[in-house]
Amino acid sequence: MPDPAYPAARAVAHRIEQHFARHVAVARAQKRPNIAEPPDAEAVEAIIDAAFWASLRREEGVLPKISLAYLAPTEAGHALRFTQSLPLRPAALARLAPAVERPGIHLGVWREAGELTVWGTTRAIPAFGLVVEVVASGLIVVKHRVDPFGKFVNVAVLEGDQIKVVDEGFSTSPECPGPVKSLLGFDTLVRFGAVDILVQLAASMRAHGRGGTLLVVPAGTDDWRQSIVEPLLYEVTPPFSELEELMQREAGEAEHHDWQDDLRRAVDAVAGLTAVDGAALITDRYALVAFGAKITRRRGQAPVERVVVTEPVEGTITDITTPGQLGGTRHLSAAQFVHDQRAATALVASQDGRFTIFKWSEADDLVHAHRVEALLL
């Protein structure tokens, strides 16, 4: 008996089709190489539908994690091709899941004789190629790359009957901080291959699953100490500067695997410290100065009472609420820190997967909380 249709797939298919058609048209007009064929709505719906129902199955007691890429075998470079293509069916995807669950491996999907089939596996994805990833049971992310070797940018997130389509226009807002622009793919359009350390730290913080806070403060000043309980139990002397030194070498070494591996390990090392109770502190040059720090209200400053909340998702509205509505102690203390240290940025990961970037808003004269978990899945 075939699986029933997944209504959210049909509801979002035309918007995703338009998204890819728009980006591919611009890239072709710029005569950029390695541009994918844009998917039609029928293909988008079918791939999301199959991925969703596969995510609810178990193979030997394990929920599948799969990534599906819409591209012809000829676009895939050095790909692994099946002698006989498989039908795009949830059961077939679930059986293949153990072979392709590692990051960077995608099942290739293309039409053969008018039917969508799974033709093999690939690591190479052309720019703006449709990728549909099973993140967890019932949780599907649609994404693409702006260039063939860049990071993936989320287009839409589907969880059960909830649909979040990323609002790319949010990147043009003067209130949009650099890490959010990078997550939206805006910076990548200008800086091909450039590394955004805060985005990588955010992803690593979210991945360790314990929750945590990272405070980014201006280099060359100790003003931040007025908002931290002394003595600092885990102060770092001299500041741990591996990330800073790696970024100084980015221009000449960013394409080297050794540099990328060193950067990944350094990012994970710093992000891992956010799992310790308290906040980790780095400068805006990426030198670690402390972790496990307790945030306190700066002397003479009022308690933070209101924050502006936005999420770069179509259909959401700007809200003004109390910090307590965003989460627990981490969110309240991070909002207070940014309220008192207005040149600082605070990144807060919750154990439930939510992720918030706090930044002072000159326009609103309030702390601005940017909800970005839809961009980090």
Side-chain angles (χ1 to χ4, degrees):
M1 179 178 177
D3 292 296
Y6 176 39
R10 176 161 295 181
V12 79
H14 283 285
R15 276 189 285 174
I16 292 176
E17 175 190 38
Q18 292 168 1
H19 170 95
F20 280 89
R22 182 172 64 252
H23 280 285
V24 168
V26 171
R28 286 176 174 170
Q30 295 171 343
K31 301 188 184 303
R32 289 176 51 190
N34 299 320
I35 303 300
E37 284 295 321
D40 55 54
E42 181 182 358
V44 172
E45 179 183 351
I47 295 171
I48 294 175
D49 186 89
F52 174 79
W53 292 113
S55 78
L56 304 181
R57 292 174 174 263
R58 289 180 180 269
E59 188 67 21
E60 297 182 346
V62 179
L63 288 167
K65 291 188 177 181
I66 316 163
S67 181
L68 302 167
Y70 179 73
L71 77 168
T74 54
E75 295 180 284
H78 192 65
L80 182 155
R81 293 194 61 178
F82 303 146
T83 302
Q84 183 173 348
S85 296
L86 304 174
L88 182 65
R89 299 286 185 270
L93 297 180
R95 284 194 295 270
L96 279 172
V100 295
E101 64 181 9
R102 294 180 184 272
I105 305 176
H106 314 274
L107 290 172
V109 178
W110 196 246
R111 282 191 172 89
E112 294 184 11
E115 295 291 328
L116 288 168
T117 63
V118 179
W119 53 258
T121 69
T122 180
R123 291 182 177 274
I125 306 291
F128 300 110
L130 168 71
V131 173
V132 176
E133 183 177 354
V134 173
V135 176
S137 181
L139 178 57
I140 309 298
V141 178
V142 180
K143 56 180 67 177
H144 66 63
R145 279 173 168 157
V146 177
D147 67 89
F149 304 103
K151 63 182 176 63
F152 281 103
V153 175
N154 289 0
V155 176
V157 177
L158 296 85
E159 186 170 14
D161 60 356
Q162 295 185 354
I163 301 171
K164 290 185 176 182
V165 177
V166 173
D167 181 4
E168 294 180 295
F170 191 82
S171 65
T172 62
S173 167
E175 295 296 306
C176 185
V180 179
K181 288 183 179 181
S182 183
L183 285 166
L184 289 166
F186 180 80
D187 279 0
T188 316
L189 292 172
V190 180
R191 303 184 306 138
F192 292 105
V195 174
D196 191 317
I197 290 295
L198 292 186
V199 169
Q200 296 209 18
L201 286 166
S204 187
M205 286 172 63
R206 194 176 188 278
H208 69 54
R210 297 175 181 269
T213 300
L214 179 67
L215 306 176
V216 185
V217 298
T221 175
D222 284 343
D223 284 353
W224 54 269
R225 291 183 180 274
Q226 299 177 52
S227 298
I228 297 295
V229 175
E230 297 278 5
L232 276 163
L233 185 58
Y234 304 114
E235 187 167 4
V236 180
T237 306
F240 179 70
S241 59
E242 185 177 12
L243 274 177
E244 181 179 4
E245 292 167 5
L246 284 166
M247 290 308 296
Q248 289 171 356
R249 292 158 38 199
E250 178 192 9
E253 301 183 32
E255 299 301 321
H256 298 170
H257 289 299
D258 287 346
W259 183 89
Q260 295 169 9
D261 290 342
D262 289 344
L263 181 69
R264 191 177 302 111
R265 284 191 289 267
V267 164
D268 288 343
V270 173
L273 298 175
T274 65
V276 176
D277 187 36
L281 286 102
I282 64 172
T283 71
D284 52 12
R285 295 177 184 169
Y286 313 119
L288 176 76
V289 294
F291 65 97
K294 306 297 183 184
I295 298 172
T296 187
R297 178 156 47 96
R298 186 173 182 171
R299 181 173 295 181
Q301 291 288 341
V304 60
E305 296 180 348
R306 299 187 304 156
V307 294
V308 180
V309 184
T310 56
E311 186 176 17
V313 170
E314 291 182 3
T316 59
I317 59 173
T318 300
D319 191 19
I320 297 180
T321 187
T322 62
Q325 295 297 312
L326 297 175
T329 304
R330 284 193 186 98
H331 293 80
L332 180 58
S333 60
Q336 186 68 54
F337 186 87
V338 171
H339 177 269
D340 298 348
Q341 302 287 336
R342 297 184 180 181
T345 303
L347 284 65
V348 179
S350 300
Q351 288 178 302
D352 62 5
R354 289 179 296 168
F355 202 98
T356 310
I357 299 175
F358 292 90
K359 190 78 176 168
W360 180 256
S361 168
E362 296 290 348
D364 297 305
D365 201 32
L366 292 171
V367 175
H368 194 146
H370 301 267
R371 292 278 304 272
V372 297
E373 56 267 18
L375 308 180
L376 282 169
L377 288 168

